[in-house]
Amino acid sequence: MSNEKLEQLRSDLDAVNLQLLELINRRAELVQEIGKVKLKQGINRFDPERERQMLNLIVENNKGPFKDSAIQHLFKQIFKASLDLQKDETQKALLVSRKKQKDNTVVTLGPVEVGGGEPVLVSGPCSVESYEQVRQIGETLKANGLTLLRGGAFKPRTSPYDFQGLGEEGLKILRQVADEFGLKVVSEIVTPTDIEMATQYVDVIQIGARNMQNFELLKAAGRVNTPVLLKRGLSATIEEFIHAAEYIVSGGNSQVMLCERGIRTYEKATRNTLDISAVPILKQETHLPVFVDVTHSTGRRDILLPTAKAALAVGADGVMIEVHPDPDVALSDAKQQINIPQFNEFVAKLRESGLYKESAPVL
Ligand code: PEP
Ligand code: MN
């Protein structure tokens, strides 16, 4: 007898499930129709006020046994699923996603096309220290047929007592040297209100690892047309990195390049752990150019060349490396910068590998 009762209840439950299914789908059809009307009228699909009204009406009529909070939770899920129904896969994708744009974003900087197939080098000192220091590096880059000159004028340092950079004066030096040798300037900006000022001097705004989730800085970089080189945060996941890039692109600046610069792990043999797998993942998931910073990821002069080769072999669009005329007396990163002869050898060996061919036209 009790078995029969159970069977009956189960069959009633199945019937109710099917009724619910029909009603939920009927609801979905209505939502789709509303979506079409809204699209015609140019109204935003998501309307939190309307959602609140619907939830209030539902809760007012709730006679239990479900608690109001449980009912609200269930209906929130239904609302969310209905809203998703109005968008297809492309609409749901981020702007930086490959799903949104199949073709690579190419950032043109003078004679180089970053992301256009031929890898490029970004090189220069960790910090801008003097005109003469940067001039020597500018000359070296030119002699090697390179275009992208880096140098930090605003330095985010771990200790407030360490050299903080020359600021705007440093940007002026970079610009002057770049103009003398026909180079393009990449330099880090750390303050949102400095972005506008920086566009007068730099060709690429770098956003450093420590600022990858400085959302106001990302938004400020999104409001200008100057290309941005965004470095991965010290402990940022690839997903967080991609979302940081989305901040800039959704703000209106599509010229964004990514830079893997090593992440924090327990390993002590290198300064950071170069996440080489991030390169093909970022290339697959986004359409943005991807760099690998071999200096900050390894912190070791003896493995710059093999890691640069590895980066290019897995599809990086470029490599960043720090070079200083006299690394031993450098005001930052003295241990890991290489000198000019070592740099010349690095470039020559990278070319020998066949993975790298960059050569700027002689002016
Ligand atoms: C830099 O490139 O100058 C720098 C400070 O690197 P990161 O932000 O990756 O630490
Ligand atoms: Mn450095």
Side-chain angles (χ1 to χ4, degrees):
M1 184 66 193
S2 76
N3 245 356
E4 258 170 53
K5 173 137 200 219
L6 184 61
E7 282 311 310
Q8 183 57 48
L9 288 170
R10 281 182 169 163
S11 126
D12 288 352
L13 196 60
D14 282 340
V16 170
N17 280 343
L18 293 178
Q19 280 176 337
L20 272 176
L21 177 68
E22 208 178 309
L23 283 171
I24 272 181
N25 278 323
R26 171 76 196 120
R27 189 185 186 284
E29 281 166 11
L30 284 169
V31 170
Q32 279 178 320
E33 277 176 48
I34 291 172
K36 280 185 207 148
V37 176
K38 282 189 172 178
L39 193 66
K40 262 197 202 138
Q41 298 181 357
I43 309 173
N44 198 343
R45 289 195 182 109
F46 178 58
D47 182 350
E49 237 173 80
R50 169 75 186 136
E51 231 190 69
R52 188 70 257 165
Q53 281 171 2
M54 288 194 289
L55 275 181
N56 286 348
L57 184 69
I58 292 161
V59 168
E60 275 163 28
N61 286 279
N62 181 30
K63 298 191 181 75
F66 273 129
K67 282 188 186 161
D68 289 352
S69 58
I71 287 292
Q72 288 218 38
H73 180 75
L74 285 171
F75 273 88
K76 276 292 281 184
Q77 296 306 311
I78 295 173
F79 293 172
K80 191 175 172 306
S82 307
L83 204 63
D84 283 350
L85 204 64
Q86 296 180 355
K87 301 186 210 151
D88 60 25
E89 281 304 310
T90 343
Q91 286 170 312
K92 268 187 254 175
L94 297 178
L95 294 171
V96 298
S97 164
R98 271 276 175 219
K99 284 190 193 130
K100 200 69 142 200
Q101 182 186 309
K102 290 257 169 307
D103 296 339
N104 289 332
T105 285
V106 175
V107 178
T108 303
L109 297 161
V112 299
E113 297 203 326
V114 186
E118 280 305 327
V120 294
L121 282 184
V122 176
S123 34
C126 182
S127 301
V128 173
E129 297 166 9
S130 68
Y131 166 77
E132 183 48 30
Q133 172 227 18
V134 181
R135 195 200 58 75
Q136 286 185 53
I137 298 299
E139 196 174 49
T140 304
L141 263 60
K142 191 75 216 161
N144 279 286
L146 311 182
T147 298
L148 305 178
L149 170 68
R150 64 147 286 146
F154 295 92
K155 296 301 298 177
R157 302 304 299 279
T158 302
S159 165
Y161 305 115
D162 285 340
F163 177 58
Q164 302 286 308
L166 298 181
E168 191 169 347
E169 191 48 40
L171 297 183
K172 285 184 186 164
I173 292 174
L174 285 165
R175 183 74 270 152
Q176 191 183 343
V177 171
D179 289 345
E180 271 174 55
F181 294 100
L183 307 173
K184 298 288 170 186
V185 172
V186 181
S187 197
E188 177 165 357
I189 300 302
V190 296
T191 314
T193 48
D194 279 349
I195 293 273
E196 277 284 340
M197 172 278 288
T199 60
Q200 295 172 54
Y201 307 107
V202 309
D203 302 291
V204 176
I205 293 165
Q206 179 171 313
I207 294 185
R210 286 152 197 83
N211 276 313
M212 190 207 82
Q213 282 192 320
N214 180 338
F215 299 115
E216 293 311 314
L217 187 63
L218 299 175
K219 286 183 206 167
R223 287 192 286 268
V224 295
N225 295 319
T226 306
V228 177
L229 181 71
L230 176 67
K231 300 188 85 175
R232 180 176 181 180
L234 275 66
S235 305
T237 62
I238 291 177
E239 192 183 0
E240 287 163 342
F241 191 17
I242 291 175
H243 278 85
E246 184 77 3
Y247 262 92
I248 306 169
V249 175
S250 65
N253 188 350
S254 62
Q255 303 278 285
V256 176
M257 300 170 276
L258 304 172
C259 184
E260 160 62 36
R261 47 79 71 208
I263 49 174
R264 280 244 164 115
T265 71
Y266 51 81
E267 183 53 69
K268 291 187 291 187
T270 47
R271 177 171 168 180
N272 290 289
T273 297
L274 172 56
D275 181 7
I276 200 78
S277 59
V279 177
I281 293 173
L282 291 167
K283 291 296 293 177
Q284 274 173 40
E285 299 209 347
T286 80
H287 47 78
L288 304 176
V290 178
F291 279 85
V292 168
D293 173 346
V294 290
T295 299
H296 296 99
S297 55
T298 67
R300 289 178 58 146
R301 291 173 182 153
D302 58 338
I303 57 168
L304 295 173
L305 183 64
T307 46
K309 285 184 193 169
L312 298 181
V314 292
D317 297 291
V319 167
M320 177 181 275
I321 183 163
E322 286 184 349
V323 47
H324 190 287
D326 190 357
D328 291 342
V329 298
L331 297 177
S332 57
D333 284 353
K335 275 205 213 84
Q336 56 211 256
Q337 301 195 65
I338 50 173
N339 63 27
I340 293 172
Q342 287 165 334
F343 179 73
N344 290 337
E345 192 188 333
F346 170 86
V347 177
K349 289 252 168 75
L350 202 56
R351 287 192 199 284
E352 272 171 32
S353 75
L355 293 161
Y356 171 72
K357 304 189 186 66
E358 180 184 5
S359 177
V362 180
L363 290 182

